[in-house]
């Protein structure tokens, strides 16, 4: 296997390990990618970006993670469009956790059209959802008016539309459920009623088929269970 092929495999492995909360394995993948970057400098920026992710997810040091992402941002804009967009999204997440809602919203908004051009629907939908979450939070904290909640509703619906053509993988089902939950939260913030319907039943059935997990899960239990998340989405049909 060539160095480039191995590097791409390590990049995918890193994401899979982080999503699975296997952070020691993610760190091992990053260590191997650093060795490749010593011979192929184009992967150095990916290493810094991944270090930022680990710093946030493993160490919960959002400020240090932000420094990693800002170190990557401008150079990635010139060299690697996908990395640039993902770094913007990472900055959106970091700013959200640091309570800088306007900056979080702006970073997510900047990433959206880049993901669209690159035809990365899952990334695009994730950015739309995260922007909606930050708009919600900014409203709760009194930084923006209730009028802005219409923006969050539009972004959630656009995210669902973007995912409409995607196959029902576990990743897509989980993301769709999370978007429904964000949309429901926004509607409740507006004082609108939210009803149960077929959406979560469909999502839960899909998850069950994909994972062989049982469907009898309490709706509001706050666990990372994909089924729980899918069932929570039944609040809105």
């Amino acid at each position: 296997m060539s160095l480039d092929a191995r590097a791409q495999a390590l990049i995918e492995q890193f994401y899979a390990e982080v999503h699975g909360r296997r952070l020691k394995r993610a760190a091992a993948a990053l260590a191997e990618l650093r060795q490749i970057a010593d011979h192929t400098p184009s992967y150095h920026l990916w290493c810094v970006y991944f270090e930022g992710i680990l710093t946030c997810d493993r160490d919960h040091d959002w400020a240090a993670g932000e420094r990693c992402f800002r170190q990557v941002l401008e150079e990635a804009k010139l060299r690697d469009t996908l990395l640039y967009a993902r770094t913007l999204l990472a900055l959106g997440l970091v700013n959200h956790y640091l309570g800088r809602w306007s900056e979080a919203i702006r970073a997510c908004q900047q990433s959206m059209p880049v993901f669209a051009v690159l035809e990365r629907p899952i990334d695009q939908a994730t950015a739309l959802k995260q922007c909606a979450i930050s708009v919600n939070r900014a409203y709760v904290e009194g930084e923006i008016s209730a009028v802005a909640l219409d923006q969050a509703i539009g972004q959630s619906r656009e995210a669902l539309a973007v995912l409409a053509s995607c196959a029902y993988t576990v990743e897509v089902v989980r993301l769709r459920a999370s978007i429904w939950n964000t949309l429901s939260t926004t509607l409740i913030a507006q004082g609108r009623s939210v009803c149960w319907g077929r959406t979560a039943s469909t999502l839960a059935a899909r998850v069950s088929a994909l994972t062989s997990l049982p469907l009898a899960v309490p709706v509001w239990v706050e666990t990372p269970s994909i089924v729980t998340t899918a069932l929570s989405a039944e609040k809105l049909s």
Side-chain angles (χ1 to χ4, degrees):
M1 181 183 291
S2 68
L3 283 180
D4 277 337
R6 181 57 184 159
Q8 291 301 317
L10 287 167
I11 288 171
E12 294 303 318
Q13 180 185 344
F14 180 91
Y15 282 120
E17 304 295 6
V18 168
H19 289 161
R21 308 306 300 163
R22 298 180 294 270
L23 299 184
K24 288 184 179 179
R25 293 184 183 182
L30 173 56
E32 186 176 346
L33 185 63
R34 284 198 179 105
Q35 293 176 356
I36 293 176
D38 289 340
H39 302 282
T40 312
S42 58
Y43 292 108
H44 171 69
L45 289 178
W46 280 97
C47 291
V48 178
Y49 166 71
F50 285 156
E51 182 60 39
I53 291 176
L54 282 180
T55 300
C56 292
D57 282 12
R58 179 191 59 202
D59 306 330
H60 305 293
D61 189 339
W62 305 105
E66 180 186 20
R67 288 193 292 273
C68 290
F69 299 139
R70 294 204 180 280
Q71 181 181 340
V72 170
L73 189 64
E74 291 307 315
E75 190 171 351
K77 186 176 183 179
L78 300 174
R79 295 176 179 271
D80 192 322
T81 306
L82 176 59
L83 179 57
Y84 170 67
R86 286 188 169 170
T87 304
L88 282 170
L89 179 54
L91 282 168
L93 288 163
V94 164
N95 280 306
H96 179 88
Y97 282 109
L98 291 174
R100 301 196 295 249
W101 320 117
S102 295
E103 291 181 45
I105 292 166
R106 184 163 55 251
C108 290
Q109 287 176 331
Q110 288 176 325
S111 73
M112 293 172 198
V114 184
F115 286 134
V117 169
L118 293 174
E119 297 182 344
R120 307 285 301 198
I122 294 175
D123 289 319
Q124 184 184 356
T126 301
L128 285 159
K129 183 202 75 169
Q130 183 56 42
C131 192
I133 290 172
S134 292
V135 169
N136 269 312
R137 191 65 182 176
Y139 168 71
V140 169
E141 297 295 331
E143 289 195 10
I144 57 178
S145 70
V147 174
L149 293 177
D150 287 332
Q151 173 188 338
I153 291 171
Q155 288 166 337
S156 296
R157 288 176 171 159
E158 184 180 352
L160 290 169
V162 166
L163 292 177
S165 61
C166 293
Y168 268 82
T169 63
V170 171
E171 181 182 14
V172 169
V173 170
R174 180 167 48 190
L175 180 53
R176 281 170 57 87
S178 180
I179 294 165
W180 277 111
N181 199 51
T182 300
L183 178 53
S184 175
T185 300
T186 310
L187 291 170
I188 291 170
Q190 284 190 325
R192 295 163 65 177
S193 61
V194 179
C195 65
W196 298 91
R198 294 186 300 274
T199 300
S201 299
T202 302
L203 287 172
R206 294 283 189 177
V207 171
S208 183
L210 288 165
T211 65
S212 299
L213 294 172
L215 296 181
V217 180
V219 172
W220 285 110
V221 175
E222 293 186 0
T223 73
S225 163
I226 302 170
V227 174
T228 302
T229 308
L231 287 172
S232 297
E234 194 175 10
K235 290 179 304 196
L236 192 70
S237 59

